[in-house]
Amino acid sequence: MIDAIWPRHAERLPDGGLRLGGCDARSLAAQYGTPLFVVDELDVRSRAAEYKAAYDHGDHPFEVFYASKAFLTVAIARWVHGAGLGIDVATGGELAVALRAGIPGEQIVMHGNNKSRAEIEAALEHGLRALVCDSLDELARIGSIAAERGLVAPVMLRLTAGVEAHTHEAIATAHEDQKFGLSIATGMAAKAVDQALGDPHIDLRGFHSHIGSQIFDADGFEIAAHRVALFMADMARTRGYVADALDLGGGMGIPYVDGDDPLDVAEMAHRLRAIVVRECSSAGIAVPRLSVEPGRAIVGSSTVTLYEVGVVKQVQVSDDFVRQYVAVDGGMSDNIRTALYNADYTAALANRVSHATAVPSRVVGKHCESGDIVVNNLQLPTDVRAGDLLAVATTGAYCWSMASNYNNLPRPAVIAVRDGASRVLIRRETAEDLLARDQDA
Ligand code: LLP
């Protein structure tokens, strides 16, 4: 391992090469082409196993559901399920992949703030563990679709606890103004409980709370758990409704660049458990069945994107500042996170050693847009040139899953590496794939 940012089975070779899962990145690029998502299979499997071990034990075990929106292929679903995790899906498409992977419906939870009739029907048909619902409108729809089929739909209500990750109690009401969740503060959540309890085709299993993503400490969870526990106590007192299940969502952060320092898995698990147990006990309720839904933390660090460098250019930014622009053969169509969230990444040459001076650089893509930036700010040697292989770390979460065909660029292949062997998980798209749906082609 190089450091925490790179996959667990990444090694730097003396000649400047990069070995991933025992495979030389140069050979992978030659064999499969670039851009290329290279997934370290054992990294994903081991992180999934660590989450299982850290959360699912003791008096108050947490079940772990993998938030598949982060990165989903049939193989990835099988790896995480093999480590004992369930799967969280947010659409019928994600459900189709999870089912194809052989995940039993009972171990799948369905999210989504606007599920289609077909998605609700599929969830009921396949006996999913729960549909997580966050509107009165959809709650009624789920009830009526279940009624048509003579079924009772298992539902969890997604609560808005009014917490923005990274904030403190004083300003923790800031996040009411967004589309997700049923607000505890405004009474909407209580209304949903009443509606669910009054609907014979809804089986209200409990509550869900997700406070954000890329969270490095347990503070935000603490406030959310406090408010959710008080709400559960209120529902028990005023409605006689005792929730069976509580899901605290995902959001556990990972390091992308030096200086990122999230709590480790065991420590986070320990803190979350302590928080829930304390808050439930002070609210006077029994601890419900618990679960969490990490996405990024399971897959984020497993994957490296390999690009080939094309054009390099020096841009005189100001009188005394030149930035080196290094254009690669992908861009915002395979990693939208930099443009969308100003995300930071770590990158390195993966084909040779360079002894040239490192200068302020920016890795950009090949799209017709100035915001097409892959790595905003990094140091690269002055002799970077066409044909070099550049590896961008930590691209496992929300890169391939948010990839697009902007500029009709075919999406990259996804390959898995393990113990010196590689195999294709998702083949590279071709121009023919892009034309296949064009009815005039
Ligand atoms: N559970 C729910 C209900 C969620 O909405 C999410 C993420 C997760 C779990 C998993 O969160 P994670 O553990 O991966 O942070 N596209 C953004 C992230 C959006 C996350 C959306 N929901 C990004 O690229 O950073």
Side-chain angles (χ1 to χ4, degrees):
M1 193 178 99
I2 304 173
D3 58 42
I5 291 166
W6 295 84
R8 286 189 163 149
H9 309 94
E11 294 162 76
R12 185 52 84 188
L13 302 171
D15 67 357
L18 179 65
R19 195 181 277 151
L20 299 167
C23 302
D24 192 314
R26 291 167 289 207
S27 317
L28 296 174
Q31 183 177 351
Y32 299 105
T34 53
L36 184 66
F37 286 101
V38 183
V39 188
D40 177 345
E41 173 177 345
L42 295 179
D43 185 295
V44 176
R45 287 182 184 271
S46 63
R47 286 180 204 275
E50 275 171 26
Y51 264 78
K52 175 81 178 163
Y55 280 86
D56 197 1
H57 69 84
D59 289 344
H60 301 291
F62 282 80
E63 262 185 280
V64 184
F65 290 85
Y66 167 58
S68 67
K69 67 203 78 180
F71 197 2
L72 182 62
T73 73
V74 168
I76 291 175
R78 287 185 181 143
W79 298 343
V80 300
H81 185 248
L85 274 54
I87 306 269
D88 138 13
V89 298
T91 64
E94 289 177 356
L95 176 60
V97 179
L99 291 172
R100 185 64 67 88
I103 317 299
E106 157 61 16
Q107 288 166 41
I108 304 175
V109 168
M110 180 179 271
H111 277 275
N113 67 304
N114 182 22
K115 300 174 197 67
S116 67
R117 166 173 273 271
E119 287 170 334
I120 294 168
E121 286 174 346
L124 295 174
E125 182 189 328
H126 293 284
L128 264 52
R129 171 77 64 90
L131 290 91
V132 182
C133 172
D134 71 351
S135 64
L136 303 179
D137 211 4
E138 187 178 275
L139 188 57
R141 194 167 304 137
I142 294 172
S144 86
I145 294 172
E148 283 167 21
R149 315 188 135 221
L151 296 170
V152 177
V155 165
M156 293 177 82
L157 294 177
R158 177 166 173 175
L159 306 174
T160 305
V163 178
E164 198 166 4
H166 294 300
T167 61
H168 297 285
E169 184 70 63
I171 50 166
T173 50
H175 224 48
E176 294 283 347
D177 192 6
Q178 44 96 9
K179 72 171 181 171
F180 289 114
L182 293 152
S183 165
I184 296 176
T186 66
M188 187 71 90
K191 232 180 187 167
V193 170
D194 289 336
Q195 185 176 318
L197 294 177
D199 187 333
H201 294 282
I202 300 283
D203 171 15
L204 182 58
R205 293 281 171 88
F207 301 107
H208 183 284
S209 158
H210 172 77
I211 59 169
S213 209
Q214 186 60 354
I215 301 168
F216 280 14
D217 59 41
D219 296 357
F221 289 102
E222 182 149 20
I223 305 167
H226 175 67
R227 293 181 177 182
V228 169
L230 286 180
F231 178 75
M232 291 197 296
D234 185 31
M235 292 303 104
R237 198 174 50 244
T238 56
R239 275 81 170 165
Y241 172 69
V242 177
D244 177 48
L246 171 62
D247 188 302
L248 290 184
M252 298 74 181
I254 61 168
Y256 282 87
V257 289
D258 280 346
D260 282 352
D261 190 20
L263 278 182
D264 78 25
V265 180
E267 182 62 23
M268 189 70 134
H270 172 73
R271 295 219 188 153
L272 290 191
R273 181 176 288 105
I275 286 167
V276 175
V277 169
R278 190 184 64 229
E279 295 301 334
C280 287
S281 120
S282 76
I285 55 169
V287 179
R289 290 197 301 148
L290 301 171
S291 52
V292 283
E293 286 166 355
R296 185 191 317 273
I298 304 294
V299 291
S301 310
S302 68
T303 300
V304 165
T305 308
L306 299 178
Y307 298 100
E308 186 175 302
V309 172
V311 165
V312 179
K313 120 175 160 184
Q314 314 301 322
V315 174
Q316 188 82 41
V317 176
S318 61
D319 285 350
D320 55 359
F321 185 67
V322 173
R323 196 194 305 274
Q324 173 170 255
Y325 275 71
V326 176
V328 295
D329 51 356
M332 66 195 300
S333 55
D334 59 68
N335 187 350
I336 190 66
R337 298 193 67 259
T338 307
L340 205 51
Y341 314 116
N342 208 12
D344 288 325
Y345 283 94
T346 299
L349 275 187
N351 58 315
R352 64 182 174 92
V353 176
S354 168
H355 298 290
T357 320
V359 292
S361 303
R362 180 167 285 169
V363 179
V364 296
K366 60 184 277 128
H367 292 280
C368 301
E369 187 157 331
S370 55
D372 173 25
I373 297 169
V374 179
V375 188
N376 196 34
N377 189 12
L378 78 170
Q379 298 277 323
L380 286 175
T382 50
D383 66 350
V384 174
R385 55 185 181 252
D388 274 339
L389 192 60
L390 194 74
V392 178
T394 335
T395 56
Y398 305 107
C399 289
W400 190 81
S401 68
M402 294 173 82
S404 75
N405 289 122
Y406 184 33
N407 292 135
N408 268 355
L409 211 62
R411 283 172 294 182
V414 178
I415 65 159
V417 289
R418 172 180 177 165
D419 298 329
S422 61
R423 73 182 181 96
V424 176
L425 301 186
I426 303 282
R427 71 156 170 81
R428 181 176 303 284
E429 262 178 343
T430 63
E432 273 312 305
D433 289 328
L434 300 179
L435 283 165
R437 288 178 305 132
D438 187 324
Q439 300 303 301
D440 295 300

